[in-house]
Amino acid sequence: MSQQTVIERVDVQGAAVYIGDRDDGTSEYSTNGERIMGWLCDGWRYRFNALRSRRYIINSDRTHHPLSTNPDERSVKTMRVECSWIAAMPAMVIQSPERVENTQWFSAIARRKTNLAHHRRMGRLPSFISRKHNDQTFACWHNKGANANYHQVNRNHGIVEVKGQNPKEHREHGTRFTIRIHIRVSQPIRDYTAIRVNWTRRTLSFTNTPLPLQHEPTGRKLGIDVGVAHAATQSDGIMLDLPKHKLDRIDREIRRRQKAMNRKAQASGKSRKQYVKDGVSKRYQHEREQVRQLYAKKKRIITDLYQKYTTHLVKTCDMIAVEALRTANMTRRCKPKPDPQHEGAYLPNGQSAKRKLNRSMLEASPSTLRAMLEYKTTLTPDCTLIEVNPAYTSQTCNQCKHTAAANRESQAVFHCQNCGHMENADINAARNILEAGLKHLRSTDGASHEPTTQDMPPASRGRHAVVSCKPQHLV
Ligand SMILES: [Zn+2]
């Protein structure tokens, strides 16, 4: 969680910064903001890669395989002596890769372990940061005011000051310098622990915790069904839909550009893989970048909608019940069906039909919506999130509680075989989810009275929060 701001310009006050020796051995100094920012990014990346080079990959047969052929074991101190361009680097900048590298590495290992356990593709281990392919970034610890101090200049502008000093042998242009990063802010900056600069995108983010949302008790309780046809359906009948036309237009553009990339690979006469390996054309690079940006744009549109929606929900509801769905399970591939007549051949197994569903499922990313609800409700003590067992929520009639697969007439229509109750299938499911949530609230409360805000747990999650919607006669 962080607050992101835009960098407007950078200037340097005090001494000219010693940024290393030139090839002919003369010292180089600079007071150019742009140059200094590039220097900080370079130093940070160098240190990061040195730390990364010490990592080992443990193979399945328990053999260790080093990530680099010559791991860099130097400490910051020796590095400052041996590399002239590190010498004047502020300590809070050059030390910060340690934690960043560590977190990134071990979270990737944990993620790969989980993926393996769930029979998914493991995903890549993180590698070195590339000057060419990655954004130019650096981090600086705030460390309770040790460095990277921020002050507001006026309503929309502020300055972050990164201070440092030149090494003893290079003080002919002064000792102490201050790199002043001028930023544009739109809201007050909260307490932070570090800053992170992305110099490629000219952004600066403060690492801090988000604010709790303003919440007025309204007594409103909602069940929410997250789905494919509608991104979210509330138990009161309101639906949230993704801007389908907008997203489809982006999809068409992506396909068009991907075709262009294919044509370029084909024209070279090589296989796609070989073409990419041998170095692609300028035009291909351009298309690839455009596709990347289009995907990012699509994601931004969805995330923005979800953020606004969940904030609205948490602000206006006292209780929100959602299904404890697992996307990974639902989007799993269909089992291959071997053809008994032909050796090595397979019968259609419905995978291609499922692929479309998988794709739209991942696009609507119910897990993102739930994750947002989760952290927002945790921060807001007056709003409770309850995860209910998803079993039978879409098959149970909300009126008479009759449960049958036949009740679900089609994707959109619910038609009870017992009482004839007819409703939109998603709204029916959302109402069942709400009921399961309310049932859980009553059971945790121990009495039938309306739960008060004091005895409601913050975000109920995990095994204890899961309540079944399964009707009595099926148990
Ligand atoms: Zn019914």
Side-chain angles (χ1 to χ4, degrees):
M1 293 305 141
S2 57
Q3 280 181 292
Q4 198 178 61
T5 58
V6 176
I7 299 177
E8 288 188 321
R9 67 195 160 88
V10 179
D11 58 33
V12 181
Q13 276 190 351
V17 186
Y18 169 65
I19 54 171
D21 292 339
R22 291 193 194 86
D23 288 343
D24 56 4
T26 53
S27 305
E28 194 177 356
Y29 295 86
S30 177
T31 50
N32 180 340
E34 300 255 334
R35 183 88 177 80
I36 298 295
M37 291 301 267
W39 166 72
L40 283 172
C41 293
D42 286 346
W44 195 86
R45 188 184 62 243
Y46 185 77
R47 180 69 192 153
F48 182 96
N49 285 343
L51 294 167
R52 183 50 56 81
S53 72
R54 302 172 190 175
R55 297 279 176 205
Y56 282 87
I57 300 166
I58 302 169
N59 296 326
S60 50
D61 55 348
R62 303 241 159 225
T63 51
H64 286 211
H65 171 68
L67 208 63
S68 161
T69 42
N70 49 339
D72 191 341
E73 300 285 355
R74 288 175 296 177
S75 66
V76 173
K77 208 173 167 188
T78 27
M79 227 177 218
R80 281 192 198 276
V81 178
E82 288 174 18
C83 311
S84 59
W85 70 93
I86 302 278
M89 197 80 41
M92 293 291 116
V93 173
I94 201 72
Q95 283 169 11
S96 64
E98 258 167 56
R99 195 178 284 175
V100 178
E101 196 271 338
N102 207 47
T103 317
Q104 195 201 45
W105 180 261
F106 284 107
S107 57
I109 286 179
R111 188 170 58 238
R112 277 158 58 92
K113 243 182 209 167
T114 320
N115 284 347
L116 195 69
H118 288 89
H119 308 286
R120 293 196 294 256
R121 237 181 269 166
M122 275 172 94
R124 280 181 62 198
L125 257 186
S127 191
F128 298 99
I129 301 182
S130 147
R131 186 198 170 96
K132 201 171 151 191
H133 300 297
N134 293 102
D135 287 353
Q136 298 274 85
T137 61
F138 74 87
C140 182
W141 283 340
H142 181 50
N143 223 357
K144 291 172 189 153
N147 210 338
N149 286 309
Y150 168 78
H151 63 261
Q152 191 110 15
V153 182
N154 55 36
R155 200 166 148 236
N156 299 98
H157 296 87
I159 295 174
V160 175
E161 290 185 339
V162 178
K163 290 180 180 175
Q165 59 180 17
N166 286 329
K168 263 190 196 125
E169 313 79 57
H170 299 277
R171 288 185 177 167
E172 55 258 45
H173 296 287
T175 310
R176 291 175 194 280
F177 56 83
T178 306
I179 304 156
R180 303 186 343 138
I181 308 169
H182 298 253
I183 54 172
R184 193 163 65 231
V185 291
S186 53
Q187 47 178 277
I189 302 295
R190 303 189 294 275
D191 281 350
Y192 57 97
T193 52
I195 59 155
R196 186 86 199 240
V197 172
N198 186 328
W199 187 235
T200 309
R201 298 180 194 282
R202 296 291 195 272
T203 56
L204 184 147
S205 18
F206 295 89
T207 312
N208 50 19
T209 46
L211 272 182
L213 295 168
Q214 291 288 316
H215 178 91
E216 302 271 325
T218 51
R220 194 169 170 228
K221 295 180 178 69
L222 275 185
I224 291 173
D225 179 49
V226 188
V228 182
H230 303 282
T233 310
Q234 294 172 199
S235 50
D236 56 6
I238 298 171
M239 288 166 177
L240 173 82
D241 285 309
L242 295 178
K244 203 167 166 299
H245 290 291
K246 218 175 183 178
L247 295 175
D248 280 351
R249 204 163 54 230
I250 298 173
D251 268 338
R252 280 200 297 277
E253 177 83 15
I254 290 173
R255 266 201 300 283
R256 192 175 67 74
R257 291 192 184 273
Q258 276 171 341
K259 275 183 191 163
M261 280 159 74
N262 272 338
R263 274 199 305 278
K264 283 171 186 63
Q266 267 170 10
S268 70
K270 298 175 201 161
S271 72
R272 176 83 178 252
K273 214 171 173 183
Q274 194 62 35
Y275 177 67
V276 173
K277 213 173 174 185
D278 290 352
V280 295
S281 69
K282 271 268 155 61
R283 198 63 221 170
Y284 185 95
Q285 275 174 23
H286 174 74
E287 299 286 6
R288 190 165 56 188
E289 179 57 24
Q290 291 295 316
V291 168
R292 196 191 65 77
Q293 283 183 16
L294 285 167
Y295 273 121
K297 184 176 182 179
K298 215 169 126 183
K299 199 172 172 190
R300 279 200 304 274
I301 292 172
I302 297 172
T303 318
D304 177 63
L305 187 79
Y306 279 3
Q307 289 284 16
K308 284 173 183 161
Y309 178 64
T310 48
T311 300
H312 170 75
L313 281 185
V314 173
K315 272 184 177 171
T316 54
C317 297
D318 282 2
M319 191 274 270
I320 302 165
V322 288
E323 279 180 309
L325 279 182
R326 279 167 297 173
T327 331
N329 273 355
M330 292 181 66
T331 59
R332 194 178 284 159
R333 288 181 70 87
C334 297
K335 268 191 197 139
K337 231 190 253 171
D339 190 344
Q341 255 100 55
H342 303 91
E343 188 72 26
Y346 292 92
L347 290 170
N349 62 351
Q351 175 60 36
S352 53
K354 203 176 177 192
R355 190 174 298 136
K356 182 104 203 260
L357 182 74
N358 279 357
R359 208 171 285 159
S360 51
M361 191 87 200
L362 289 172
E363 186 173 272
S365 58
S367 57
T368 317
L369 193 93
R370 202 160 25 250
M372 285 178 188
L373 276 178
E374 211 166 279
Y375 91 77
K376 285 178 190 182
T377 43
T378 315
L379 283 166
T380 316
D382 293 341
C383 183
T384 316
L385 179 74
I386 291 176
E387 293 201 335
V388 304
N389 190 340
Y392 305 106
T393 47
S394 59
Q395 295 178 7
T396 307
C397 171
N398 187 247
Q399 299 288 316
C400 69
K401 310 292 170 243
H402 173 68
T403 306
N407 281 350
R408 189 82 179 251
E409 207 159 71
S410 67
Q411 204 287 317
V413 181
F414 182 91
H415 188 194
C416 180
Q417 303 294 305
N418 186 32
C419 71
H421 173 65
M422 228 167 154
E423 204 172 19
N424 178 298
D426 289 330
I427 298 176
N428 179 66
R431 290 200 175 140
N432 285 333
I433 293 166
L434 174 66
E435 256 168 42
L438 287 173
K439 205 166 113 193
H440 174 69
L441 266 192
R442 279 196 292 274
S443 65
T444 50
D445 211 34
S448 60
H449 71 79
E450 277 286 299
T452 51
T453 46
Q454 281 85 14
D455 47 37
M456 266 154 75
S460 314
R461 194 166 189 270
R463 197 157 48 88
H464 303 293
V466 175
V467 282
S468 181
C469 173
K470 214 170 176 179
Q472 287 303 311
H473 66 268
L474 277 170
V475 177

